[in-house]
């Protein structure tokens, strides 16, 4: 089958590889749509921390935002999955440790991550093998594009849940990229007044088209009481800025990751009586995200700038925007 393989920094392309075989408890999915994430770009450039920590090695097969149809079953898998449209969890815990058995498999020390960690092949390919326990069925009301947006949506939903927003609260989202915009959409669906702060003219202009209450640069940000500040950026200085901006007694949420240390002063955290929440993965939010998409509470499809083929992926990872691409931050890969 065809798969996109990264063999080294800035070295990648489509290769013919052996198709996956469903092991016990696994299924094979024919991938129909997959998303490109900032994590994929960092693996392509060689900047991803897992490469330096020993959790990932070249060659790599990327892809953790995906949907498709189950076409083969391994031993012990419920036959109801055959032919179902699905997406799935990226984080695959060992299933035996204390974290896994208490519902925290996404932070299992020995976890694999599809297309990311410990050599598990990803979904930027014609097929991918996935454990049955990771599958989430997609209803008819969630089309292929939405199905491939469940994983980033789950991160955003969990960020909004971590902010504990109530109707009428005022939320500030730092970083109007894919996750930041999704956070804004879910916060708005929760009844919050949503503002975004960013830097790039193009990203800010696009964010304004989505109807948020305010879209600002840092120097133009109004002095308003922020009931929650959610940092969805990769800027090392913004975690501290989030803590500076949030109202005393309220919440800061950190879902973005910088490429270098991003420090906060815990004295400020304590003296303002602020709750800080970290969000690693979509895992506990996948099913609720599918439900929100199916109800129409959130529709992230405008974020998709273009859908390209596997053969066109390397230039996208290198930062090129295909001819005819829209203004959104997200690129999808359509796989026949």
């Amino acid at each position: 089958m065809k798969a996109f393989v990264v063999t080294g920094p800035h070295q990648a392309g489509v290769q013919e590889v052996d198709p996956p075989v469903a092991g016990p408890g696994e299924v094979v999915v024919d991938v129909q749509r997959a998303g490109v994430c900032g994590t994929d770009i960092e693996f392509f450039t060689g900047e991803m921390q897992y490469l330096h920590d020993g959790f990932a090695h070249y060659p790599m097969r990327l892809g953790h935002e995906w949907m498709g149809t189950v076409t083969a079953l391994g031993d012990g898998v419920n036959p109801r999955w055959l032919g179902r449209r699905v997406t799935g969890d990226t984080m695959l815990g060992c299933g035996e440790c204390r974290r896994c058995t208490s519902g925290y498999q996404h932070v299992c020390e020995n976890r694999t991550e599809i297309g990311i960690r410990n050599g598990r092949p990803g979904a930027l390919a014609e097929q991918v093998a996935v454990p049955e326990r990771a599958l989430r069925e997609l209803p008819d009301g969630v089309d292929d594009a939405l199905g491939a947006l469940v994983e980033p949506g789950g991160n955003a939903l969990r960020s909004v849940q971590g902010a504990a927003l109530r109707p009428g609260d005022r939320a500030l989202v730092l970083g109007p990229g894919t996750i930041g915009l999704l956070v804004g959409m879910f916060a708005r669906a929760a009844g919050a007044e949503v503002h975004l702060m960013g830097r790039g003219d193009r990203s800010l202009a696009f964010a304004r088209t989505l109807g948020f209450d305010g879209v600002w640069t840092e120097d133009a940000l109004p002095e308003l009481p922020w009931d929650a500040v959610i940092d969805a950026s990769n800027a090392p200085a913004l975690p501290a800025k989030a803590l500076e901006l949030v109202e005393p007694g309220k919440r800061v949420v950190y879902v973005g990751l910088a490429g270098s240390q991003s420090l906060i002063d815990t004295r400020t955290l304590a003296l303002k009586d602020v709750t800080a929440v970290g969000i690693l993965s979509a895992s506990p939010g996948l099913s609720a995200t599918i439900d929100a998409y199916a109800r129409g509470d959130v529709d992230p499809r405008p974020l998709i700038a273009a859908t390209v083929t596997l053969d066109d992926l390397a230039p996208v990872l290198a930062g090129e925007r295909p001819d005819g691409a829209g203004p959104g931050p997200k690129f999808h890969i359509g796989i026949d």
Side-chain angles (χ1 to χ4, degrees):
M1 70 169 186
K2 292 181 179 179
F4 187 82
V5 183
V6 181
T7 55
H10 301 281
Q11 300 174 12
V14 177
Q15 296 183 11
E16 290 286 338
V17 302
D18 292 335
V21 176
E26 291 185 338
V27 305
V28 171
V29 175
D30 283 5
V31 181
Q32 292 158 251
R33 182 77 73 104
V36 177
C37 174
T39 300
D40 300 320
I41 294 172
E42 290 182 358
F43 277 122
F44 176 76
T45 62
E47 298 171 287
M48 176 59 184
Q49 191 62 39
Y50 278 0
L51 292 167
H52 307 287
D53 292 341
F55 293 123
H57 306 274
Y58 298 121
M60 290 192 65
R61 285 160 51 184
L62 304 176
H64 60 279
E65 303 176 3
W66 57 271
M67 63 75 55
T69 301
V70 176
T71 56
L73 309 177
D75 290 344
V77 174
N78 190 323
R80 68 174 290 274
W81 286 110
L82 194 63
R84 302 278 180 169
R85 295 174 63 252
V86 297
T87 186
D89 198 349
T90 299
M91 316 296 251
L92 308 178
C94 70
E96 299 175 356
C97 69
R98 184 173 183 268
R99 296 176 192 175
C100 286
T101 56
S102 60
Y104 292 92
Q105 54 84 27
H106 58 289
V107 288
C108 170
E109 184 175 0
N110 298 314
R111 71 185 181 274
T112 60
E113 299 177 25
I114 293 175
I116 297 177
R117 177 179 165 125
N118 286 340
R120 184 91 189 193
L124 287 170
E126 292 179 319
Q127 293 183 317
V128 64
V130 184
E132 179 186 21
R133 69 180 188 275
L135 296 177
R136 302 291 188 278
E137 186 172 354
L138 297 175
D140 292 340
V142 175
D143 65 15
D144 292 359
L146 288 172
L149 285 163
V150 168
E151 197 277 342
N155 281 281
L157 173 61
R158 291 195 64 223
S159 299
V160 172
Q161 291 171 336
L165 290 168
R166 297 173 296 183
D169 281 353
R170 182 181 292 117
L172 176 64
V173 182
L174 308 182
T178 296
I179 297 298
L181 293 172
L182 281 163
V183 167
M185 290 178 171
F186 277 102
R188 184 168 57 191
E193 175 189 324
V194 180
H195 297 249
L196 292 100
M197 189 185 89
R199 291 184 299 179
D201 291 341
R202 185 178 68 195
S203 63
L204 293 175
F206 175 68
R208 291 188 180 99
T209 70
L210 301 175
F212 291 109
D213 295 288
V215 178
W216 314 96
T217 57
E218 183 173 349
D219 58 358
L221 186 69
E223 293 186 9
L224 295 172
W226 307 107
D227 296 301
V229 180
I230 302 172
D231 178 18
S233 77
N234 60 3
L238 286 187
K241 186 70 177 179
L243 183 55
E244 172 191 329
L245 291 169
V246 72
E247 277 287 281
K250 300 296 185 173
R251 292 190 170 216
V252 289
V253 178
Y254 298 112
V255 64
L257 291 175
S260 58
Q261 286 188 339
S262 46
L263 305 179
I264 64 170
D265 189 335
T266 57
R267 295 172 298 181
T268 304
L269 186 76
L271 291 170
K272 292 183 74 172
D273 199 23
V274 166
T275 299
V277 179
I279 301 296
L280 172 65
S281 87
S283 301
L286 294 172
S287 296
T289 300
I290 292 169
D291 292 342
Y293 290 173
R295 290 191 304 265
D297 295 347
V298 172
D299 183 358
R301 287 172 291 192
L303 305 187
I304 303 171
T307 301
V308 301
T309 68
L310 283 174
D311 291 319
D312 299 320
L313 177 53
V316 170
L317 292 174
E320 297 182 20
R321 293 184 72 86
D323 291 341
K330 174 63 68 176
F331 289 92
H332 271 183
I333 310 302
I335 302 172
D336 296 327

